Amino acid sequence: MPPIIGITATLKEDVDSVAERPLGRFVRADLDYVEGVAGAGGAPLVLPPVGDKSVAEALIHGLDGLLLSGGSDLDPGYYGEEPVPELGITLPERDAFEMALVGLALRRGMPVFGICRGMQVLNVALGGSLYQDLASQWERDLLKHRQDTPKWQPTHEVRVSEGSYIARVMGRESVKVNSYHHQAIRDLAAGLVVTGLSADGVIEAVEATDLSERWLLGVQWHAEAMRGAGPQQENLFEAHVSAAEGHALRRAA
Ligand code: MN
């Protein structure tokens, strides 16, 4: 049986395209995440960001792996900061649900793959912090991390650490990626190691210090939107699904 991979979703206002009247709020997950998981042999399960911790607890029992998707800014209160003026939109329900869920996943030793916001959520859940806004808080030269071009289009390079897990998975030490973020990891959490940097020094990839003990991987780019660009992005999804498969087998044993 394919391992079940929970994919976090967001809440989004929608309007009727014909009548242009508000339709209310909808649970939304980009199909690229769902297809990325399914294409890698996993069974994707979209998780609505609602409910209290007991809901997260009930849901986690049915999962073998967790994929933290991209999206809005995380409330800086989760890393002990007040908001700066440049902070973007935050969704309290989503933040609370994901922080509860990732905490439970970490305690269970569940493989967690974080993409964009997801990598940042993973870092904060483990005790790290973020730049709330790179443009106003980064003190050196900065590349364009908020590209205006389509998601499938790579715009800046990432150098991945020689001998790192992600270098092995992608089969290369340099990869050109898309970039859709104005936040980034600031203080790295204990238990994570930086394995990818852009030329300006922004953290673009992290992994667990000991992957055999717990499988954690984070990328700052939208790997799900670049699956057509070559096998290296699909390989990330396959690595996660296969780690989730191992986790399911160990739990069943
Ligand atoms: Mn970037």
Side-chain angles (χ1 to χ4, degrees), residues 209-231:
T209 47
D210 185 356
L211 278 135
S212 61
E213 200 170 293
R214 60 173 171 183
W215 194 100
L216 305 173
L217 185 67
V219 295
Q220 187 55 69
W221 64 89
H222 282 277
E224 81 287 359
M226 294 188 66
R227 288 176 295 113

Side-chain angles (χ1 to χ4, degrees), residues 144-145 156 158 177-181 198 202 204 220-221:
K144 186 176 177 76
H145 287 279
H156 74 64
V158 170
V177 300
N178 57 18
S179 198
Y180 275 90
H181 58 111
S198 45
V202 168
E204 290 273 346
Q220 187 55 69
W221 64 89

